[in-house]
Amino acid sequence: MKHFLVVVDIQNDFVDGALGTPEAQAIIDSCVKKIEDFDGEIFVTYDTHSENYLETAEGKKLAVTHCVKGTHGWLLNERIENALKDKEYTPVEKPTFGSIKLPLLIKEQAQDSDFDITLIGICTDICVVSNALILKAHFSEKEIYVDSKCCAGVTPATHNCALDTMRCCQINVV
């Protein structure tokens, strides 16, 4: 059986930058350990915007410029990057909350093998839940896990609401 880890958007702007939170900073140790101990294939998503972000549909509702490709805020948190340095992983840039490319990449890597998927990252209530639901829709018979200790939401309350939503959709919250 293959195991896939999806590291969602643990980028500087979400940890201690434009949209950073104390909760996001608090999960870095757990995420580093999860990555270092993981024995399987890793995918890393990057929230990726351009300079005209505020003119986009998302930017008009979340009027905080963040994760502009090539900026410090777009880069992975340094500790996460260090944890990944000796690992092979597939980077996945996404222009919005969930990646429609991610399931295709996982299917390609899985070939005909049985597999499961674990997600960690930021923000539980936006990008983690979006990707988890997209993956569950594509792989309805596969076990999909979200490690709640390796996720942080915009607020603790919305983090917990997203975990409840994922449980309702038969995603294993551990």
Side-chain angles (χ1 to χ4, degrees), residues 135-171:
L135 291 168
K136 190 62 177 175
H138 275 82
F139 306 118
S140 60
E141 295 300 315
K142 302 296 180 190
E143 294 295 332
I144 299 181
Y145 301 89
V146 171
D147 187 335
S148 64
K149 299 294 185 211
C150 293
C151 293
V154 173
T155 68
T158 57
H159 164 81
N160 288 327
C161 286
L163 295 175
D164 287 343
T165 295
M166 289 185 275
R167 283 185 194 98
C168 288
C169 294
Q170 301 177 358
I171 293 166

Side-chain angles (χ1 to χ4, degrees), residues 108-141:
E108 182 180 298
Q109 288 295 324
Q111 297 175 350
D112 292 328
S113 300
D114 193 17
F115 64 91
D116 60 29
I117 303 169
T118 300
L119 293 95
I120 64 173
I122 306 169
C123 294
T124 318
D125 43 345
I126 302 174
C127 294
V128 174
V129 68
S130 295
N131 284 288
L133 292 172
I134 287 169
L135 291 168
K136 190 62 177 175
H138 275 82
F139 306 118
S140 60
E141 295 300 315

Side-chain angles (χ1 to χ4, degrees), residues 23-41:
E23 293 81 15
Q25 293 167 33
I27 67 164
I28 297 301
D29 288 342
S30 299
C31 292
V32 165
K33 182 165 178 31
K34 185 82 162 188
I35 292 166
E36 290 175 345
D37 293 347
F38 189 75
D39 185 22
E41 298 180 48

Side-chain angles (χ1 to χ4, degrees), residues 8 24 50:
V8 179
S50 61

